[in-house]
Amino acid sequence: MASKSPAKPRPSWWRRASFWKRFVLWSLGGAVALGLLAVVALLIAVYTTRSSLPSYDELKSSPNGQMIRVHAADGTVLVSLGPSYGEWIPYDQIPAVMKDAIVAVEDRRFESHWGVDPLGLARAVRVAYLNRGSGRRLQGASTITQQVARTIFLSNKYDFGRKMREAVIALAMERKFSKDQILELYLNKVYFGGGAYGIDAASRKFFGHSANDLSLAEAAVVAGLVKAPSHYSPTADAEAAVERASVVLDVMAETGKISAAEARSVDPRSVKLAPEPKQNSVRYFTDWALPQLEVLIDESEAPLEVWTTLDLGMQRAADEAIRRNAPEGAQGALVSLDRDGAVRAMVGGKDYVSSIYNRATQATRQPGSAWKLFVYLAALEAGHKVDDVVVDEPVTIGGWSPRNSSGRNSGQISLRTAFAYSINTIAAKLGQEVGFGTVADMARRFGITTPINTQPAMVLGTSNVRLLDLTRAYASVAQKGIAVTPYGITRVTANGQVIYQHQVDTSHVLVAPYVAAQMTDLLQTAVATGTGRAAQIGRPVAGKTGTTTSNKDGWFMGFSSGLTTGVWMGRDDARPIGGLQGGTAPARAFASFMTKAVANRPVEQFETKVTLPEWQLEPEDNAYYAEPDNGVFVDADGNPVEPQEQGTTPAQPVEEEQGDRIDEDWIDRMTGRPATPQPVPQRGPIRTPAPDAPQRSGVVPRERPAPADEEY
């Protein structure tokens, strides 16, 4: 019997399957394996991230940026810059309506998901597909936990890598912190617009009270801000904020957080918004003062409280004085310094909103006869006295022939009279006598930081200056020759600790006290009976007017009762302004401001008495009063009529007189002259010549110390 051959094994199911079936199975298997690997990798990433997360207390204290709050002298907050943080409100003290509103509108499945909401993500992907090609971002996919992760750990850069990191951190946070803790972090850290971070900062900014007292309507407004803080901000668009709050109320009703009746009973339009602080002239001051923080402190993270010198009452008076007195079409600026240099008021223009250009600290303009302060200081330091007899007569210096605004000369007059009526020929001859370089040196000594030319016409104020610098110079005269340095910040605190305290330096003596006293004598005479009579305020005032060619600039600089104030008016394009003179609108603005600024200060008499100049010079409506101080001596661009060769004569060293405590080293640094000047040849005093002796300068000689340099 023949044996049977063994049966052949049947091919396996895998071999019988078609190529495509095997491909699909391999793909599914690979996908599952990759999925498992991805899950393992995700778990590793989540738990690794969880172990590296800071503690909850550390997350609470982590900064989002530096906040700076600026205070006036009385403690009033002038402006808050950078991110603003309110008080941290614990979870159990946050109003329930606020928690319900934010969960309803931002993450209604917050209590059930693990940090990332797959359903929310799927919904967002579907919306993105429907809006493909429109350029809109994928929105609605981030949970509250993801937003916390982004706020604390990541940036707002929108890309896939950031979204993946955000998801991992969110999952890790859900493993480490409770839902209540995450929501507490969110409500205290998320950005609500207007620089406000957290519900307390938002509530204080928009409603003027703590977040502990939020009503349902207010909570709806705040919750609606997160989606688009800049668009829905009540201060930016109140109508949009109301509409968004209505949407929030509807969503709260839809999710069962409130009833439909409650939603209908609340009217977001009834919410009272806190008034926005005025951002007008006070910003000129803060824009000038705050950049100084970079050199005063090195704290760059902790919130700062900056205490300043600004007096709000004086600031309001200064703002009003400029707006009411500046001619139509003209701008105006005002700076007021206390006796120690504290800036009590600063106005850089008529309206900060329309122009942030600070004409008090940035603009450089010709000062006209207000510059004569330095000419007369140099003359007084060289030995002149206020009662010296000088000759007002025609004079020519290097081809330049200045004339007086009256068009005539008055012969022999006192130095006091010459200054009171701003007589130009006398200023020119004094400058020639002491040396134009010496006048420039005096200006540098008193804090002028802009370039100074030493052509003869410089004595009439042809070198541009800043109002703040010129005010500083007059303040130093008021302080009996001691240097006054303007400052705006008194102290800075961080986390309750003082990290900067201003110290006033009174060690730098610029001129001897008797020189400053004589200068004050001249200045108060100019106000009592000269070109500055409009600046009288019923108490002793010392000051000087300044007017430039074709009435382009008007100045008044003066001091009273320990307060020194400088006023400038003119057009930004330097076009002439009819009727603008230092003795008119600027002097009136000075008087308007100072009347209010010194009202509560005791009346202070100057150490020198007012001596009236020769009454017979001019009648009551004399040509000197309220006329341009030097308008006929420079061309339409403010340059000398007969310009000399360009160049600057080196400033001459100033001789120190016996008994004066002048700080020469400090003056060297201020003026830029050599620290160790070469020995200066000395000569004996000038003796009064016989009556018929020729006089080159027209200034009657008298016995006095000789100038430092023989050529002068």
Side-chain angles (χ1 to χ4, degrees), residues 317-637:
D319 202 21
E320 182 180 13
I322 291 299
R323 284 189 288 104
R324 288 193 174 185
N325 290 282
E328 184 177 356
Q331 277 289 352
L334 183 151
V335 173
S336 190
L337 305 179
D338 219 326
R339 61 182 84 244
D340 64 346
V343 177
R344 297 303 183 193
M346 177 182 286
V347 176
K350 283 184 174 180
D351 181 33
Y352 180 86
V353 175
S354 61
S355 173
I356 66 173
Y357 182 58
N358 192 336
R359 296 156 187 85
T361 62
Q362 296 174 281
T364 58
R365 303 293 287 252
Q366 291 184 349
S369 286
W371 178 268
K372 290 177 183 175
L373 176 81
F374 307 118
V375 179
Y376 279 78
L377 279 171
L380 293 171
E381 187 175 66
H384 276 285
K385 300 294 186 290
V386 295
D387 293 317
D388 284 351
V389 176
V390 291
V391 179
D392 174 17
E393 61 184 354
V395 62
T396 298
I397 304 171
W400 174 64
S401 300
R403 292 178 295 165
N404 298 324
S405 59
S406 65
R408 60 182 181 275
N409 302 107
S410 301
Q412 289 194 351
I413 57 177
S414 70
L415 210 62
R416 180 184 290 107
T417 299
F419 186 83
Y421 294 116
S422 202
I423 295 178
N424 293 315
T425 58
I426 300 303
K429 290 194 286 186
L430 288 174
Q432 183 185 35
E433 179 190 351
V434 301
F436 303 115
T438 302
V439 175
D441 178 66
M442 184 65 70
R444 285 270 181 247
R445 193 192 304 184
F446 272 76
I448 299 301
T449 57
T450 44
I452 302 173
N453 73 67
T454 52
Q455 298 171 358
M458 64 90 72
V459 298
L460 304 184
T462 59
S463 296
N464 290 341
V465 298
R466 295 183 179 90
L467 176 60
L468 181 61
D469 287 351
L470 196 57
T471 307
R472 170 189 186 179
Y474 277 78
S476 297
V477 173
Q479 283 303 98
K480 304 177 182 179
I482 297 174
V484 171
T485 302
Y487 71 97
I489 298 174
T490 57
R491 73 181 188 276
V492 181
T493 61
N495 296 323
Q497 300 295 317
V498 177
I499 60 175
Y500 169 77
Q501 184 78 47
H502 180 76
Q503 300 293 329
V504 177
D505 183 0
T506 60
S507 64
H508 302 304
V509 179
L510 305 180
V511 292
Y514 77 87
V515 173
Q518 290 186 91
M519 192 69 241
T520 301
D521 182 338
L522 298 179
L523 290 167
Q524 66 175 330
T525 304
V527 175
T529 189
T531 60
R533 283 181 290 180
Q536 296 174 7
I537 59 173
R539 62 171 68 196
V541 176
K544 185 72 182 74
T545 58
T547 310
T548 60
T549 304
S550 303
N551 308 93
K552 292 179 179 178
D553 302 272
W555 302 72
F556 187 85
M557 318 296 299
F559 49 86
S560 178
S561 303
L563 204 64
T564 302
T565 299
V567 177
W568 167 87
M569 292 180 183
R571 288 178 59 99
D572 289 336
D573 58 9
R575 292 173 59 186
I577 300 171
L580 176 62
Q581 296 148 16
T584 56
R588 289 194 295 268
F590 172 91
S592 173
F593 166 75
M594 289 291 282
T595 299
K596 299 175 182 177
V598 302
N600 296 324
R601 295 187 175 211
V603 176
E604 296 182 16
Q605 300 293 334
F606 297 124
E607 293 184 0
T608 57
K609 296 181 179 179
V610 174
T611 303
L612 300 182
E614 290 86 336
W615 61 269
Q616 71 272 22
L617 262 181
E618 297 291 339
E620 183 65 22
D621 58 344
N622 63 79
Y624 292 116
Y625 175 57
E627 286 292 327
D629 293 313
N630 68 336
V632 298
F633 311 116
V634 290
D635 63 21
D637 296 319

Side-chain angles (χ1 to χ4, degrees), residues 41-64:
L42 179 61
L43 290 174
I44 293 173
V46 167
Y47 282 92
T48 300
T49 302
R50 178 186 182 281
S51 64
S52 64
L53 286 176
S55 67
Y56 188 71
D57 288 338
E58 290 175 318
L59 290 182
K60 287 173 61 176
S61 62
S62 62
N64 287 4

Side-chain angles (χ1 to χ4, degrees), residues 71 103 105 110 116 130 142 184 230 239 288 369 373 504 508 543 557 631 702 709:
H71 300 261
V103 169
V105 75
F110 174 68
V116 176
L130 294 175
S142 292
E184 180 182 328
S230 60
E239 188 63 30
W288 167 75
S369 286
L373 176 81
V504 177
H508 302 304
M557 318 296 299
R702 70 252 165 263
D709 293 328

